[in-house]
Amino acid sequence: MSGLDELYQSIILDHNRRPRNYGEPAVCTHRASGRNPLCGDEVTVWMNVEDEVITEVKFVGQGCAISKASSSLMTEAMLGKSRTDALAMFDRVHELLTGTLDPMAERKTLGQIAALGGVSRFPIRVKCASLGWHAFRNALLHPEPVPCTT
Amino acid sequence: MTFLAPRSDFPLLADTPTLHYLDSAATAQKPRVVLDALQQFYERDNANPHRGAYELSARATERYHDARATIATFIGATDADCTLFVRGTTEAMNLIAYGWGDAHIGAGDAIVVTAMDHHASFVTFQQLAKRTGAEFRIAELTDDGRIDMTSLRSMLDSRVKLISFPHVSNALGTINPVTEIVALAHAVGAVVVCDGAQAVPHLAVDVEALGVDFYAFSGHKVGGPMGIGVLWGRRALLESMSPWQFGGDMIEIVGDQVTTFNTLPHRFEAGTPNAADAVGLAVACDYLTALGMDRVRAHEVELTALLLDGLQLLDGIRIFGPMHAQERSGVVSFAFEDVHAHDLATILDEHGVCVRAGHHCAQPLMRRLGVPATARASVWVHTTPDDLHALMTALQHAKSLFADVALR
């Protein structure tokens, strides 16, 4: 696969076109926004955490295909995880995006997330791919005041 | 006229034959003569200007002085002492805000900018308004990316003390009707600040004929070094202003409690001047003069027309700014419905095509265009139809890459 084909795998393009868990939930326990002032990308992540388990993750964002698809993949990966497992997943994705985790070798444990492995060859796009994940982590560890409790 | 300056004039381009550099609006590639001049200054003429009483320092002073004269002539300024060296357009705008604005603008006054002002002027004057309590007014744009003159006229009244607008828009390419705006502004007694960053590299500029009060540009977009730029101002205005930075070189007599300041241009150039880069910028101006600014413009009009024609053939494209090459500079911003500008830039990069993707330091404009970001291709003296062809091929590839997903 060429670098571009690896970056824009069909999973990425599909999640860009049809982002999963997209939209603001009616109720949530945690929320955080992330923004990349240099390129203008932004994302907000909402979730519901019950008994230390993530029972819902949703996002809304504006940005490139990589940032949108990565956020979408994030919501699917984090749903149902415990806080501890979710934070461990965050660390693994960070390694994947920065090229210290081999997506081929870890394909089984990573699942669809492995599709983000192509990003590591494009250092300037790492921040696009990590935006949603950072917002997720911030929502979990340093949640912003939650407005959506109607 | 589709070929003007040979690629071999630019060492970076000569060394990377497969590179299609279409981001001159962000920064220009440097002609070899400019790089040689920098090297030569440091190898033969380097000393601190205005300081040493020895021949080498006198020579450095003379080179710095001559550079100012060359650059002043290049922009049509007969009074070279009113041509101040600054770091770039951004610093020039800040000099105006702190040096003139703080003393002359107060509560009850108004400042007018346009929705196409670059952050360099937009934010600087927005903050000046905030500091002084002045009203901050934004002239809106027409659908085809020009300053809406009706909107502008409606904002000009006797409260307006300062108006800022770009000579050429960095995101839309629009060439603005400077003399018309100057006449309207002067009729209400406003000082006119014109951002020339996107004009000086591409058009023959005559600051005196334009009638503006301040005119700024950045050297690095003209082919000069980064870190040097120019603010030209009317002598009476500059002489009425207090210095905004203090230190060496800008003083006359320093008493224990009181200091008097040097004459123009030195009172606005505190500290050791950036002499080498000034010399480099002067050589860049000479380089363009040798090409001929009329020929530069003709070359760019031709390429811009090719660029606009090519882009219009692509499905789902939105092109911003005037659609006639004669009414704009060689900066063309565009966006696709289905491919984000950053994805475009990455795909284009793999084809060796460099374009800018983002908000172009013009977030107020992006909001009005209703897009988060655009891709922007820009041409200059070395650009060829081949560069544009490479852009079109890469754009087709991007389109097909993103279109495929529907079929998979």
Side-chain angles (χ1 to χ4, degrees):
Chain A
M1 261 195 296
S2 81
L4 273 185
D5 289 337
E6 209 176 315
L7 181 65
Y8 293 110
Q9 294 179 32
S10 52
I11 293 175
I12 301 287
L13 295 172
D14 179 52
H15 276 258
N16 171 51
R17 185 156 296 191
R18 284 183 292 271
R20 319 296 198 265
N21 302 307
Y22 196 83
E24 186 177 346
V27 182
C28 73
T29 56
H30 293 65
R31 183 189 82 115
S33 293
R35 170 178 275 273
N36 192 336
L38 277 181
C39 60
D41 285 2
E42 51 193 33
V43 66
T44 301
V45 172
W46 295 269
M47 66 181 117
N48 280 296
V49 182
E50 288 165 34
D51 300 330
E52 296 293 294
V53 173
I54 296 153
T55 56
E56 185 176 30
V57 198
K58 301 199 81 172
F59 87 104
V60 166
Q62 177 178 273
C64 60
I66 302 300
S67 75
K68 197 178 263 184
S70 185
S71 295
S72 172
L73 285 164
M74 180 276 294
T75 62
E76 289 197 325
M78 293 309 198
L79 188 64
K81 282 204 165 42
S82 69
R83 284 174 74 103
T84 317
D85 288 350
L87 291 171
M89 185 71 181
F90 174 91
D91 291 339
R92 275 164 63 79
V93 169
H94 183 72
E95 289 170 13
L96 177 70
L97 295 177
T98 51
T100 53
L101 192 72
D102 179 4
M104 290 310 278
E106 302 284 335
R107 202 162 34 173
K108 277 203 176 123
T109 56
L110 287 170
Q112 291 213 322
I113 299 296
L116 291 169
V119 174
S120 67
R121 284 175 59 183
F122 296 85
I124 50 175
R125 304 304 299 277
V126 171
K127 62 184 190 325
C128 312
S130 49
L131 187 64
W133 295 83
H134 279 289
F136 170 85
R137 188 172 181 273
N138 283 338
L140 201 58
L141 299 179
H142 317 287
E144 293 165 13
V146 175
C148 51
T149 49
T150 50
Chain B
M1 277 306 271
T2 46
F3 297 90
L4 184 60
R7 206 173 165 92
S8 57
D9 280 3
F10 298 81
L12 186 144
L13 299 176
D15 285 352
T16 46
T18 55
L19 190 78
H20 301 284
Y21 188 75
L22 293 171
D23 199 18
S24 298
T27 198
Q29 293 304 337
K30 314 307 174 198
R32 187 181 303 277
V33 286
V34 170
L35 303 175
D36 288 348
L38 291 174
Q39 179 103 359
Q40 243 176 50
F41 179 87
Y42 285 121
E43 285 181 356
R44 296 184 203 166
D45 304 321
N46 183 50
N48 204 320
H50 309 136
R51 279 165 177 77
Y54 46 89
E55 203 249 323
L56 185 63
S57 171
R59 201 157 71 229
T61 308
E62 197 180 313
R63 297 292 312 277
Y64 186 54
H65 179 84
D66 290 350
R68 192 189 309 276
T70 300
I71 295 161
T73 304
F74 185 69
I75 57 167
T78 48
D79 193 346
D81 290 343
C82 295
T83 307
L84 314 178
F85 285 119
V86 289
R87 277 194 297 138
T89 308
T90 300
E91 191 175 67
M93 294 300 168
N94 278 274
L95 193 160
I96 296 166
Y98 287 101
W100 188 84
D102 279 340
H104 293 88
I105 292 177
D109 292 336
I111 296 171
V112 174
V113 300
T114 71
M116 65 163 81
D117 270 52
H118 187 280
H119 290 169
S121 52
F122 193 99
V123 180
T124 303
F125 296 130
Q126 178 197 60
Q127 296 303 308
L128 170 65
K130 230 175 163 179
R131 274 202 305 282
T132 57
E135 187 188 336
F136 188 63
R137 301 175 182 172
I138 305 165
E140 296 298 334
L141 309 181
T142 61
D143 289 341
D144 65 344
R146 299 163 206 268
I147 295 171
D148 180 343
M149 296 304 281
T150 311
S151 166
L152 182 70
R153 271 193 205 94
S154 74
M155 287 178 182
L156 292 173
D157 55 39
S158 60
R159 289 171 59 201
V160 177
K161 294 292 178 286
L162 183 147
I163 170 169
S164 159
F165 64 94
H167 188 167
V168 173
S169 161
N170 74 308
L172 298 165
T174 319
I175 300 174
N176 288 313
V178 181
T179 52
E180 190 184 341
I181 296 171
V182 167
L184 292 170
H186 283 171
V188 297
V191 161
V192 178
V193 177
C194 190
D195 169 358
Q198 296 292 341
V200 175
H202 311 288
L203 309 170
V205 168
D206 183 328
V207 289
E208 292 179 6
L210 290 173
V212 297
D213 300 302
F214 290 108
Y215 194 92
F217 71 96
S218 298
H220 70 97
K221 294 192 202 285
V222 188
M226 289 179 175
I228 188 92
V230 165
L231 172 64
W232 175 86
R234 288 187 187 282
R235 178 171 279 274
L237 274 171
L238 292 175
E239 285 182 336
S240 75
M241 287 160 56
S242 301
W244 78 303
Q245 287 180 349
F246 302 90
D249 240 25
M250 53 77 65
I251 51 92
E252 182 188 40
I253 296 161
V254 179
D256 282 358
Q257 303 296 330
V258 179
T259 294
T260 55
F261 304 117
N262 207 337
T263 52
L264 292 175
H266 312 292
R267 65 193 275 128
F268 292 106
E269 294 179 2
T272 295
N274 186 359
D277 288 339
V279 168
L281 175 54
V283 171
C285 293
D286 281 340
Y287 176 80
L288 287 175
T289 302
L291 288 178
M293 286 312 287
D294 291 343
R295 293 176 69 218
V296 169
R297 176 64 185 150
H299 169 74
E300 293 187 5
V301 166
E302 203 151 322
L303 286 172
T304 306
L306 281 177
L307 181 54
L308 289 168
D309 287 350
L311 289 175
Q312 282 180 88
L313 297 176
L314 297 166
D315 280 343
I317 197 169
R318 213 179 135 193
I319 302 171
F320 302 100
M323 289 307 292
H324 297 291
Q326 284 80 7
E327 298 171 359
R328 61 182 301 151
S329 76
V331 166
V332 181
S333 284
F334 53 93
F336 288 103
E337 275 165 36
D338 48 351
V339 192
H340 192 279
H342 297 143
D343 297 309
L344 272 183
T346 295
I347 297 165
L348 266 50
D349 191 26
E350 291 289 294
H351 286 255
V353 177
C354 307
V355 299
R356 173 86 188 266
H359 53 60
H360 315 295
C361 294
Q363 287 178 8
L365 174 63
M366 294 295 119
R367 274 197 300 280
R368 283 162 175 81
L369 297 178
V371 289
T374 72
R376 180 187 72 179
S378 49
V379 306
W380 201 39
V381 295
H382 52 69
T383 312
T384 63
D386 183 48
D387 293 322
L388 302 182
H389 184 72
L391 169 70
M392 296 309 159
T393 306
L395 287 173
Q396 294 282 11
H397 180 205
K399 291 287 291 172
S400 65
L401 194 70
F402 273 70
D404 274 353
V405 69
L407 309 172
R408 288 181 197 178

